[in-house]
Amino acid sequence: MEQELTQIINLLTSNELPTTLTGLEQTHKLLMSLLPSIKQYQNLLTNTNNSALMYNQRHIKQNRDLQQLIQFQILQDNFQYNLLQYLLPIYDKYELTLNDYLLSNQIIQGILLIHPNSKRIFSINHHNMKIILDLLDGCNNTNNNNNKDSVNDNMKLSISLISTLIHILLKNYDNYRIFEDLNGCSILIKHFKLSSFENINDQNNTNTNTNSNNNNNEDEELNNNLNFKIIEFLMLYLSEEIDNSGGGKSIQEKSQFFINDFPEIDSLIENLNQLNNL
């Protein structure tokens, strides 16, 4: 595993974009090879009686795929082999195509799922969070042009970036605070279209034909998908921090980060609470 990671890191840190993209592809291939082991490993860990633990320990030692997964997780704790620290500078270094951005975001999400401790990279170096937020902010700023393809691409990238932010913030309150300090709430909520949200509510509360023209319209569908992704983020972020040993912020305190750009935030929170109660 060390040798494989070293080869990938050499590709990712290349000064030539084609070589770097090969590194992205190799990283994705590695993560995909680890996926089948993750569920198996989690199942073994949840079985906690003594006889099962002894069996599980033997099984892990004898299973090469599980050993690869464990080695990957251990090496990600080592700064030298941590892939995120080599992936994030690529966003600064190159202007990627949409597909390459989407692939890179997917890779980051995968690493954070396999190795949650990698989230610390965003609190250790705030610039890493800023990289993601700047790219998300750029998507919003360029949506003012009249190029439909460009606008749609930016919405697709925004959805992917917000998914990445969900992975970054999940169960990491240090990253919540950095997200706030870097104006993340303002950047994110500017992508939200209240009119689309109201349309979604109307469709949920009536017998509107799902094959209507609006639903068949790609722009409307992308807008709705983006809104839903923002709602998913808000349902995570605007929750009580009951397990935050540092005290944390209340929902009311966090809502104030949105109010200048989105005065309807209190109404939106009320709607989200209603969704939670369904």
Side-chain angles (χ1 to χ4, degrees):
M1 180 60 72
E2 286 186 30
Q3 183 178 357
E4 188 171 2
L5 287 176
T6 299
Q7 291 173 347
I8 287 174
I9 289 167
N10 288 337
L11 293 171
L12 292 175
T13 54
S14 168
N15 289 323
E16 297 181 359
L17 178 57
T19 306
T20 300
L21 296 180
T22 300
L24 286 179
E25 293 167 0
Q26 291 298 315
T27 308
H28 184 257
K29 183 179 178 181
L30 171 61
L31 294 180
M32 293 302 293
S33 72
L34 295 174
L35 280 179
S37 304
I38 295 173
K39 187 172 182 180
Q40 184 181 4
Y41 185 55
Q42 289 174 335
N43 289 338
L44 290 172
L45 292 180
T46 56
N47 201 343
T48 57
N49 66 69
N50 290 335
S51 59
L53 281 174
M54 292 178 63
Y55 167 78
N56 292 345
Q57 289 170 358
R58 289 197 304 270
H59 182 67
I60 289 172
K61 289 179 180 178
Q62 295 169 2
N63 188 304
R64 184 180 180 276
D65 290 338
L66 287 175
Q67 282 294 309
Q68 287 285 93
L69 174 61
I70 293 170
Q71 287 176 26
F72 178 82
Q73 291 173 322
I74 292 172
L75 286 170
Q76 290 312 288
D77 281 328
N78 186 324
F79 191 73
Q80 178 183 351
Y81 294 103
N82 186 279
L83 290 176
L84 274 194
Q85 69 153 329
Y86 300 105
L87 284 163
L88 290 164
I90 295 172
Y91 290 76
D92 273 341
K93 194 172 183 179
Y94 300 109
E95 185 171 343
L96 304 176
T97 66
L98 172 65
N99 286 337
D100 292 333
Y101 275 127
L102 297 181
L103 177 62
S104 185
N105 289 339
Q106 185 181 9
I107 290 169
I108 291 173
Q109 294 165 26
I111 292 172
L112 293 176
L113 283 173
I114 296 172
H115 186 255
N117 283 343
S118 284
K119 295 174 189 178
R120 291 182 297 177
I121 283 180
F122 296 93
S123 54
I124 292 171
N125 184 349
H126 296 190
H127 182 70
N128 290 327
M129 179 79 77
K130 189 174 185 297
I131 288 172
I132 304 297
L133 291 175
D134 283 351
L135 192 54
L136 181 61
D137 195 27
C139 290
N140 194 50
N141 291 335
T142 54
N143 275 344
N144 295 324
N145 63 48
N146 294 320
N147 187 321
K148 177 182 174 181
D149 290 338
S150 176
V151 170
N152 286 351
D153 283 354
N154 282 324
M155 283 195 284
K156 292 174 184 176
L157 180 54
S158 296
I159 292 168
S160 175
L161 288 166
I162 295 169
S163 290
T164 304
L165 284 169
I166 290 172
H167 285 74
I168 293 169
L169 266 63
L170 184 64
K171 297 182 180 180
N172 190 302
Y173 292 116
D174 288 339
N175 286 346
Y176 273 54
R177 306 290 84 92
I178 294 161
F179 175 81
E180 294 160 356
D181 290 344
L182 293 176
N183 206 32
C185 296
S186 175
I187 291 170
L188 177 128
I189 205 64
K190 287 176 182 176
H191 289 267
F192 191 76
K193 304 294 187 294
L194 184 62
S195 58
S196 296
F197 181 68
E198 290 170 345
N199 288 338
I200 293 168
N201 275 341
D202 290 342
Q203 290 171 14
N204 287 337
N205 294 325
T206 62
N207 292 323
T208 304
N209 190 329
T210 57
N211 293 320
S212 65
N213 289 335
N214 281 342
N215 285 343
N216 288 332
N217 183 282
E218 182 184 4
D219 297 344
E220 187 70 22
E221 183 178 356
L222 275 173
N223 249 318
N224 287 344
N225 288 341
L226 178 55
N227 274 347
F228 277 126
K229 185 55 64 175
I230 294 171
I231 289 168
E232 182 183 350
F233 178 92
L234 292 175
M235 291 179 78
L236 166 70
Y237 175 73
L238 292 171
S239 57
E240 296 287 357
E241 300 180 18
I242 55 176
D243 55 342
N244 188 346
S245 58
K249 286 184 167 65
S250 68
I251 295 174
Q252 183 61 33
E253 286 175 308
K254 289 187 283 189
S255 71
Q256 296 307 302
F257 290 115
F258 299 98
I259 202 159
N260 288 337
D261 300 289
F262 195 79
E264 303 91 345
I265 186 63
D266 289 335
S267 297
L268 179 57
I269 292 174
E270 185 178 345
N271 279 319
L272 294 180
N273 288 335
Q274 291 174 359
L275 287 174
N276 273 328
N277 293 329
L278 289 179

